[in-house]
Amino acid sequence: MRTLNWATLGCGVIANQLEQALESEGRKLYAVANRTHANGVAFAQKYGIGTVYDSIDDVFTDPNVDVIYISTPHNTHINFLRKALNAGKHVLCEKSITLNSEELNEAVALAAANNLVLAEAMTIYHMPLYKKLNEIISSGKLGTLKLIQMNFGSYKEYDMANRFFNRDLAGGAMLDIGVYALSFVRWFMSSTPDQILSQVKFAPTGVDEQAGILLTNREGQMATVTLSLHAKQPKRGLLSFDKGYVEIYDYPRGERATITYVEDGHTEVVEAGETAKALAYEVADMEAAIAGDRNVMHLDYTRDVMDMMTLIRRAQWGMTYPEEER
């Protein structure tokens, strides 16, 4: 298969990590598209990238572009997804891939109609650690999964103009960090949760600042999720089985887990992959999907997680974004 040309739409932190991931493989981004042209030029000069578009829409019509990585704010994703997929480009889109299930279903249909790969850049689905843990769990040595506990809390300055609290920029804990916790839950649960309860504390702007979520699936596996944008928590995942439990710190880009076995209390450390290579793993899986392996990007899990987030945010919290009210 020929080498694919990647373009970045957006040139923030993630775009820098994407370029660095490609450079680790002896490659470069083919092109840069950015709302502020000067920032795109500066990004291209920093890395020696040859193409910067005068108009952001030019990335969609460039016949040399194979894959577009979208890393703009959440509420801009669907418009860019429409343009990219209609133009025949594969898309890897930063989380959260869309605002809601309706937008995602539209994008999925467009990708299918044009025989394209669409995926969310959810690192949990691509880090070697999580794949290794699934192998251990599948072996049966830990027994049956009973409970998952998730913590994800960031301390953001209480500035209501900040994008994290800005309703006009699709702010809030759910779309920013909750998507990681729920993706972790979905990765390890045998099926998507069908019973969901939640509580929320809103910021003055009306977005979710803090939340607690309880989930159960048809197998009786349960999960608890605690989120906050204004109270620091460890990025911790705990998987409890009848024969042991697994602790993972520094998820979602985890590289180390500790298994404790109930019978005698002995522990086992599992290490796989490197945190610094998170984007490289995503790129590799995306290119494998484009080459024909449609089982590595887990769009089915992305849809399950989006359905959960949409249900919780709109049906249980009554929280909407301006784009959903038009």
Side-chain angles (χ1 to χ4, degrees), residues 42-170:
F43 182 91
Q45 290 176 341
K46 177 180 178 180
Y47 292 108
I49 299 166
T51 301
V52 184
Y53 301 107
D54 293 329
S55 168
I56 201 169
D57 284 347
D58 290 344
V59 68
F60 306 117
T61 57
D62 186 340
N64 294 314
V65 171
D66 299 302
V67 194
I68 299 175
Y69 192 113
I70 298 173
S71 60
T72 55
H74 307 135
N75 59 333
T76 66
H77 289 176
I78 186 59
N79 288 330
F80 291 139
L81 286 170
R82 289 173 182 138
K83 292 177 180 180
L85 295 168
N86 278 319
K89 310 300 184 186
H90 302 288
V91 179
L92 183 59
C93 187
E94 185 59 22
K95 57 79 195 169
S96 291
I97 190 168
T98 56
L99 290 185
N100 53 51
S101 296
E102 293 85 0
E103 289 183 354
L104 179 54
N105 289 341
E106 178 188 349
V108 169
L110 281 174
N114 291 288
N115 195 30
L116 296 165
V117 176
L118 167 67
E120 182 177 54
M122 176 46 65
T123 189
I124 287 169
Y125 302 153
H126 310 289
M127 294 296 293
L129 177 66
Y130 301 109
K131 297 178 181 181
K132 180 63 176 178
L133 287 174
N134 263 0
E135 293 175 7
I136 294 171
I137 293 165
S138 296
S139 75
K141 64 191 295 186
L142 287 169
T144 303
L145 177 64
K146 302 293 185 180
L147 180 66
I148 302 175
Q149 294 174 281
M150 302 301 302
N151 297 90
F152 201 149
S154 299
Y155 183 83
K156 307 298 182 186
E157 291 295 330
Y158 218 48
D159 175 4
M160 293 303 111
N162 187 296
R163 75 167 182 88
F164 297 106
F165 298 105
N166 191 328
R167 186 169 172 266
D168 291 331
L169 294 177

Side-chain angles (χ1 to χ4, degrees), residues 204-222:
T205 54
V207 303
D208 53 313
E209 173 187 324
Q210 188 166 293
I213 305 168
L214 301 175
L215 310 104
T216 306
N217 65 6
R218 62 175 177 266
E219 290 83 6
Q221 298 165 342
M222 302 178 72

Side-chain angles (χ1 to χ4, degrees), residues 231-247:
K232 186 65 178 174
Q233 297 182 77
K235 296 176 182 177
R236 185 188 71 134
L238 175 65
L239 305 168
S240 298
F241 301 79
D242 51 5
K243 296 180 182 178
Y245 58 89
V246 182
E247 295 174 281

